[in-house]
């Protein structure tokens, strides 16, 4: 029998009703054998995630403040779930143990208990074995997860385990301390389990039916991306698409296990399939896979006659940025001009120093900082094969009277990055969406 690893996010497990949906999904396919749950998330928009309740509880406990009420509220979340699932089950011994340890076992221990307790309930409800993530996800003492060790330990522990629930988000360090990933880290656990168990697919269940072609706050009802490659996803994530925890890609990517993003509330929707680049050849239906934009950049524009013949010019410019600890995002250049696109926050407060260092280093004819730049990424593996994509992008921007400040196309031909003024960003995304997507629907 094949193996599917299924991870459910916090909103998919926020209450008994949601857990019933998740359980029905799991039971509907016998290959869904390993389940990685998050802690209960929000049930409504201004609800509080259990993980946040635990952090707040820890803040009080660690300075000796009374946290009884906060702890009761957490217990109530779980007891309501147990009651709603009509289970003959109690977490009282676990609650007592956690309360006793809360002040002394560290912030990450406290946070991890959200997944731990939810995992206990879900394992009992499904009738699956519960495997404590602390026993199988290995961290070093600096809090870095050790991939090889984790894979070996997971494989050994799961050898004869037909079906199991392994809580997300945490593990244990080699010296015995519970450690967590950064926020959203249950995605990483799911990926590690999928890799170790050589799953045919890693299903990641949330409350949306996949990755949208563009931000729904900018474009009205954008369509879902049916298939995206890891590389494309990386490009879009850099521009602010938040889809999966960054570290969740690597374990499955190295062995080409696809990730299927699915919606717990609409399991019939196909969702988005994230696949390896080499598996994507024939799957590209559209020229453009996604359009993303991000504000908050500035351009440092340098001009100097005969710049291109001055050996080491760009290096000297970049050294100034490196010395001042300013990360550089893009470097579009002309014959006698060079722009450095950088995060505006990284430059803030250092403007005068940056200009004077640059004048000293390369003696430009002019140098200025242009604020309020937004970057727009038009991403698509289909662009490689389609001629005229750039023409269509720029024609549509021109048509909308949007001034293009810079253009950057990487050698992968997967991505065209366009710099525009911040106030033009949304309009630019909309007109490219219209040109490439709406027009084909
Ligand atoms: N519960 C953790 C968080 O809220 C981890 C996760 O849900 O993935 O960040």
């Amino acid at each position: 029998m094949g193996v599917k690893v299924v991870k459910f996010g916090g909103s998919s497990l926020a209450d008994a009703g949601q857990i019933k949906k998740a359980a029905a999904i799991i039971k509907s396919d016998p290959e869904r054998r390993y389940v990685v749950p998050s802690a209960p998330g929000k049930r409504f928009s201004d609800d509080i995630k259990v993980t946040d309740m635990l952090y707040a509880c820890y803040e009080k406990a660690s300075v000796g403040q009374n946290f009884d009420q906060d702890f009761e509220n957490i217990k109530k979340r779980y007891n309501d779930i147990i009651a709603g699932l009509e289970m003959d089950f109690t977490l009282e011994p676990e609650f007592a143990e956690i309360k006793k340890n809360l002040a002394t076992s560290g912030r990450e221990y406290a946070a991890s208990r959200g997944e731990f307790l939810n995992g206990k309930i879900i394992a009992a409800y499904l009738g699956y074995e519960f495997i404590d993530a602390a026993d199988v996800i290995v961290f070093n003492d600096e809090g870095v997860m050790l991939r090889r060790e984790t894979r070996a330990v997971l494989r050994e522990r799961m050898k004869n385990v037909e079906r199991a629930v392994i809580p997300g988000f945490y593990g244990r360090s080699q010296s015995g301390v519970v450690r967590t990933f950064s926020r959203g880290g249950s995605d990483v656990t799911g990926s590690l389990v999928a890799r170790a168990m050589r799953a045919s697919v890693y299903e990641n269940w949330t409350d949306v039916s996949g990755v949208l072609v563009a931000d729904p706050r900018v474009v009205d009802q954008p369509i879902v991306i049916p298939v995206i490659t890891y590389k494309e996803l990386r490009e879009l994530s850099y521009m602010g698409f938040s889809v999966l925890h960054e570290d969740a890609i690597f374990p499955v990517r190295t062995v080409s296990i696809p990730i299927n993003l699915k919606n717990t509330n609409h399991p019939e929707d196909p969702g988005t399939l994230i696949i390896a680049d080499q598996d994507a050849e024939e799957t590209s239906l559209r020229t453009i896979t996604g359009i993303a934009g991000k504000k908050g950049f500035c351009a440092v524009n340098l001009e100097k006659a005969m710049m291109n013949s001055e050996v080491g010019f760009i290096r000297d410019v970049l050294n100034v940025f490196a010395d001042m600890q300013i990360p550089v995002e893009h470097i579009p250049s002309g014959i006698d001009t060079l722009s450095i696109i950088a995060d505006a926050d990284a430059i803030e407060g250092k403007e005068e120093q940056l200009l004077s260092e640059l004048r000293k280093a390369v003696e430009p004819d002019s140098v200025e900082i242009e604020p309020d730049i937004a970057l727009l990424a038009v991403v698509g593996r289909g662009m490689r094969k389609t001629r005229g994509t750039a023409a269509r992008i720029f024609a549509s921007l021109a048509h909308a009277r949007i001034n293009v400040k810079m253009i950057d196309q990487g050698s992968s031909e997967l991505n065209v990055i366009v710099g525009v003024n911040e106030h033009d960003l949304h309009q630019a995304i909309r007109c490219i969406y219209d040109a490439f997507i709406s027009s084909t629907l």
Side-chain angles (χ1 to χ4, degrees):
M1 199 194 330
V3 174
K4 291 180 180 167
V5 170
V6 291
K7 180 259 171 180
F8 286 86
S11 64
S12 297
L13 306 171
D15 59 23
Q18 288 300 94
I19 292 179
K20 283 184 187 167
K21 287 187 200 167
I25 290 166
I26 296 163
K27 296 276 170 152
S28 70
D29 182 345
E31 294 191 349
R32 294 189 173 127
R33 289 165 50 192
Y34 303 116
V35 180
V36 176
S38 278
K42 295 183 179 190
R43 294 159 295 181
F44 39 85
S45 66
D46 55 357
D47 196 12
I48 303 173
K49 293 181 180 185
V50 167
T51 307
D52 290 310
M53 297 169 85
L54 285 160
Y55 280 127
C57 222
Y58 173 76
E59 293 312 322
K60 288 191 179 171
S62 62
V63 293
Q65 270 179 36
N66 185 309
F67 62 96
D68 289 347
Q69 190 51 50
D70 306 69
F71 200 75
E72 282 309 309
N73 296 342
I74 294 169
K75 278 172 67 175
K76 186 167 181 331
R77 288 288 303 260
Y78 289 104
N79 284 332
D80 285 351
I81 290 176
I82 295 169
L85 294 174
E86 297 169 76
M87 294 168 74
D88 180 18
F89 181 77
T90 176
L91 286 171
E92 283 309 323
E94 285 81 2
F95 291 148
E97 167 89 10
I98 294 168
K99 192 163 184 194
K100 185 169 72 144
N101 295 338
L102 201 72
T104 51
S105 293
R107 187 169 184 269
E108 295 180 32
Y109 165 82
S112 75
R113 297 304 87 185
E115 273 64 16
F116 172 81
L117 292 168
N118 222 19
K120 286 256 162 176
I121 296 178
I122 293 163
Y125 187 65
L126 292 169
Y128 284 17
E129 185 171 338
F130 174 82
I131 293 182
D132 190 349
D135 296 336
V136 287
I137 307 291
V138 187
F139 284 79
N140 69 13
D141 289 335
E142 279 73 54
V144 178
M145 185 268 299
L146 302 173
R147 224 176 302 137
R148 260 171 209 279
E149 284 79 350
T150 296
R151 193 156 67 234
V153 172
L154 259 172
R155 280 198 183 136
E156 181 55 29
R157 175 67 182 82
M158 313 269 288
K159 224 168 26 194
N160 298 310
V161 179
E162 191 58 23
R163 298 174 186 281
V165 172
I166 308 113
F169 191 39
Y170 71 95
R172 185 163 45 212
S173 73
Q174 288 163 317
S175 58
V177 179
V178 169
R179 303 300 304 246
T180 60
F181 296 111
S182 55
R183 295 304 301 267
S186 298
D187 284 343
V188 186
T189 312
S191 184
L192 293 169
V193 175
R195 167 82 205 267
M197 303 319 289
R198 302 181 174 92
S200 60
V201 61
Y202 168 27
E203 292 181 345
N204 191 295
W205 293 81
T206 64
D207 53 8
V208 288
S209 291
V211 189
L212 301 171
V213 170
D215 186 338
R217 290 165 300 188
V218 177
V219 170
D220 186 32
Q221 297 193 315
I223 59 166
V224 170
I225 302 174
V227 179
I228 186 169
T229 66
Y230 295 124
K231 269 193 195 152
E232 290 174 313
L233 186 65
R234 163 97 185 99
E235 305 272 0
L236 291 170
S237 303
Y238 164 79
M239 282 294 179
F241 269 41
S242 71
V243 177
L244 279 174
H245 191 292
E246 261 209 322
D247 298 337
I249 305 285
F250 196 79
V252 286
R253 177 178 183 165
T254 48
V255 288
S256 291
I257 298 173
I259 305 176
N260 195 359
L261 303 175
K262 298 270 292 174
N263 188 344
T264 305
N265 304 316
H266 295 281
E268 65 289 353
D269 288 352
T272 295
L273 197 62
I274 309 169
I275 58 176
D277 314 288
Q278 66 274 17
D279 299 336
E281 265 330 300
E282 298 312 319
T283 54
S284 161
L285 302 172
R286 291 173 198 282
T287 313
I288 298 289
T289 303
I291 311 158
K294 198 159 140 187
K295 296 183 181 177
F297 294 96
C298 59
V300 180
N301 299 324
L302 288 123
E303 221 180 301
K304 186 173 186 184
M306 308 300 283
M307 171 192 294
N308 59 342
S309 58
E310 213 173 293
V311 175
F313 185 90
I314 295 182
R315 181 202 56 203
D316 295 341
V317 169
L318 292 181
N319 275 341
V320 171
F321 282 80
D323 291 344
M324 290 183 65
Q325 301 286 326
I326 302 170
V328 166
E329 308 287 337
H330 295 279
I331 316 174
S333 62
I335 306 291
D336 288 333
T337 63
L338 175 73
S339 295
I340 307 281
I341 310 287
D343 194 322
D345 286 342
I347 291 189
E348 202 187 318
K350 300 181 183 170
E351 293 86 347
E352 286 314 313
Q353 188 196 347
L354 177 63
L355 292 173
S356 102
E357 295 292 337
L358 286 169
R359 284 189 194 107
K360 247 191 288 173
V362 295
E363 298 175 348
D365 298 337
S366 75
V367 55
E368 49 145 35
I369 299 178
E370 186 177 352
D372 306 328
I373 302 282
L375 296 180
L376 171 76
V378 185
V379 175
R381 60 193 182 280
M383 295 198 292
R384 260 184 298 225
K385 278 182 266 167
T386 322
R387 279 161 212 234
T389 309
R392 276 168 78 193
I393 295 173
F394 296 109
S396 61
L397 293 174
H399 189 74
R401 300 184 173 281
I402 291 169
N403 186 20
V404 171
K405 305 226 165 241
M406 72 126 211
I407 303 168
D408 204 350
Q409 180 180 29
S411 55
S412 65
E413 289 183 61
L414 196 70
N415 194 357
V416 176
I417 294 181
V418 184
V420 296
N421 201 294
E422 284 187 343
H423 64 69
D424 285 331
L425 177 65
H426 289 181
Q427 176 65 9
I429 292 175
R430 280 191 288 268
C431 71
I432 293 173
Y433 185 90
D434 284 342
F436 285 90
I437 308 290
S438 306
S439 62
T440 65
L441 293 178

